[in-house]
Amino acid sequence: MRYTKIAQGQLEVSTVCMGCWALGGDRTWGPQDKTDAIAAIHAAMDVGINFFDTATGYGNSELLVGEALRDRREEVVIATKVGGRNLTAEKLPAACEQSLTNLGIDCIDVYHIHWPSRRVSVDETVRAMEDLKAAGKIRHIAVSNFGPENLSELLPLTIPAANQLAYSLLFRAIEFEILPACLDGDVAVTCYSPLMQGLLTGKFGSADDVPDGRLRTRIFNSDRADALHGEAGAEKETFAAIAEIAEVARQAGMDMAVMSLAWLLGREGVASVIAGARSPDQIRRNAAAGDLILPANVSTRLDEVTEPLRETMGANADMWEPQSASPIR
Ligand SMILES: NC(=O)c1ccc[n+]([C@@H]2O[C@H](COP(=O)([O-])OP(=O)(O)OC[C@H]3O[C@@H](n4cnc5c(N)ncnc54)[C@H](OP(=O)(O)O)[C@@H]3O)[C@@H](O)[C@H]2O)c1
């Protein structure tokens, strides 16, 4: 496993972070076996992963992460998130205390603003987070889903430890404006849904095979399941790209999921990939990306075969909402 520095060099984390959303067993992911969840977190540590990402919004994920990491607190970097109404100066301290209690820890290593808020000024939230930092409740302030305008409001106040963004071979929207803005501002990028919610493992042959909870994203047609985005999606381009990516992996003799994660880790500005996993086998497989550096010709070929999808989906970095409704600016 390779390691990298975030928070302007102050924090060393594994390049593969374990994403713990699905472990919460919510509406998007369906039920999760608790024994498997805890075993997956332990398997992650056994293969060198020291970075774990959760949020209050992920069902009972914080509780599970806390339980699994209880005896090994000193070995790990725990990231969690706060959002919505809890971003006010009044509510933030109690939200933070709740996360600390759920996780069974005294201090959160990386505390993210989950999404930019339209109601609460970023100035108010950052000041309240600085107070939490001064009180020893959090170590680093981070953000998620911040676009160029959101960043230009944030950066005079603080440089976040990272900006957590949706990024994968099937969702390259941040390349247009956000990744360059992060590079300019010296903000490390951590990538969420790096397997596009499992699609890049190659296990779904068509959109009809994808479980309902995952059909909400904008790559799928808005007629499907609970989608609210009202757009046409890009199902044809997505499954054409998946077939091409599978062929690149076959020719290179690589595991498709591992190759897809390694492609991200080769992009300038990307510090870590937050790969979700629901079992020890999945996280062991994903962790191999932390040891793989893609040959330039494989990486370039992957750029090429996903370019038509990149063009179709455009620069909207919100996986679920149309640009007009997204808080990502
Ligand atoms: N900041 C934000 O707004 C935000 C938003 C979304 C996610 N996140 C973070 O990013 C993390 C990762 O994103 P994500 O969970 O949406 O998607 P992901 O990492 O792209 O996909 C994870 C899912 O794919 C399947 N999978 C993973 N590895 C596999 C393997 N090797 N073989 C077969 N299937 C495999 C698993 O689900 P099945 O086994 O059920 O198929 C797993 O839950 C989350 O856990 C969360 O921590 C943050």
Side-chain angles (χ1 to χ4, degrees):
M1 174 64 59
R2 280 174 292 138
Y3 297 83
T4 186
K5 297 265 176 71
I6 60 169
Q8 293 74 51
Q10 297 171 67
L11 198 59
E12 187 170 80
V13 294
S14 46
T15 50
V16 178
C17 169
M18 179 163 170
C20 299
W21 177 17
L23 300 184
D26 67 3
R27 195 165 128 248
T28 300
W29 296 97
Q32 167 70 40
D33 180 82
K34 184 177 170 187
T35 312
D36 271 355
I38 299 216
I41 291 173
H42 292 161
M45 293 191 72
D46 293 344
V47 292
I49 291 174
N50 75 345
F51 191 18
F52 293 85
D53 182 73
T54 181
T56 38
Y58 297 165
N60 65 351
S61 170
E62 280 189 333
L63 282 164
L64 262 170
V65 170
E67 184 175 337
L69 297 176
R70 189 173 301 144
D71 298 327
R72 301 177 73 176
R73 170 71 186 105
E74 298 314 314
E75 298 167 53
V76 292
V77 173
I78 299 180
T80 191
K81 313 186 193 83
V82 58
R85 296 198 178 111
N86 288 329
L87 294 173
T88 62
E90 192 196 340
K91 298 240 168 84
L92 190 65
C96 179
E97 279 306 330
Q98 186 61 58
S99 284
L100 289 168
T101 305
N102 291 346
L103 289 159
I105 57 179
D106 301 326
C107 181
I108 293 164
D109 297 310
V110 187
Y111 202 35
H112 291 84
I113 300 176
H114 204 148
W115 287 83
S117 172
R118 286 205 191 81
R119 293 197 191 88
V120 187
S121 77
V122 72
D123 185 72
E124 176 175 342
T125 307
V126 168
R127 279 171 199 266
M129 283 194 158
E130 293 287 3
D131 289 345
L132 291 173
K133 209 169 151 183
K137 302 283 182 186
I138 68 172
R139 221 160 259 135
H140 297 280
I141 299 169
V143 296
S144 176
N145 299 302
F146 270 49
E149 271 184 61
N150 309 121
L151 284 171
S152 66
E153 288 167 11
L154 174 80
L155 291 178
L157 307 169
T158 188
I159 301 183
N163 188 9
Q164 188 178 124
L165 297 156
Y167 192 22
S168 72
L169 276 168
L170 300 179
F171 198 77
R172 294 175 58 186
I174 70 164
E175 291 176 1
F176 291 84
E177 290 172 2
I178 305 183
L179 193 52
C182 290
L183 279 166
D184 273 355
D186 191 23
V187 178
V189 169
T190 55
C191 310
Y192 75 72
S193 304
L195 296 171
M196 198 60 204
Q197 300 197 324
L199 266 73
L200 284 164
T201 64
K203 65 183 175 185
F204 303 119
S206 77
D208 295 332
D209 299 337
V210 177
D212 283 359
R214 301 178 214 187
L215 290 169
R216 283 171 49 223
T217 63
R218 292 176 40 253
I219 60 170
F220 296 105
N221 188 300
S222 62
D223 292 344
R224 291 192 183 271
D226 313 344
L228 293 171
H229 54 74
E231 295 178 353
E235 294 181 6
K236 197 165 119 270
E237 292 85 347
T238 296
F239 284 90
I242 290 172
E244 298 264 22
I245 296 164
E247 180 56 19
V248 177
R250 194 190 63 75
Q251 285 179 16
M254 291 176 188
D255 177 303
M256 180 173 166
V258 176
M259 180 188 75
S260 301
L261 296 173
W263 176 83
L264 281 173
L265 288 172
R267 312 300 282 186
E268 190 185 7
V270 168
S272 188
V273 289
I274 308 166
R278 311 184 62 165
S279 66
D281 280 352
Q282 287 184 357
I283 194 63
R284 280 190 209 106
R285 180 175 165 195
N286 299 342
D291 293 313
L292 178 65
I293 294 176
L294 286 192
N297 64 325
V298 173
S299 195
T300 307
R301 186 72 193 126
L302 290 170
D303 293 352
E304 288 164 2
V305 300
T306 55
E307 184 59 29
L309 176 61
R310 181 184 115 110
E311 286 303 319
T312 305
M313 291 300 293
N316 177 10
D318 193 315
M319 283 204 342
W320 298 274
E321 298 279 359
Q323 188 84 71
S324 54
S326 176
I328 306 178
R329 287 180 285 120

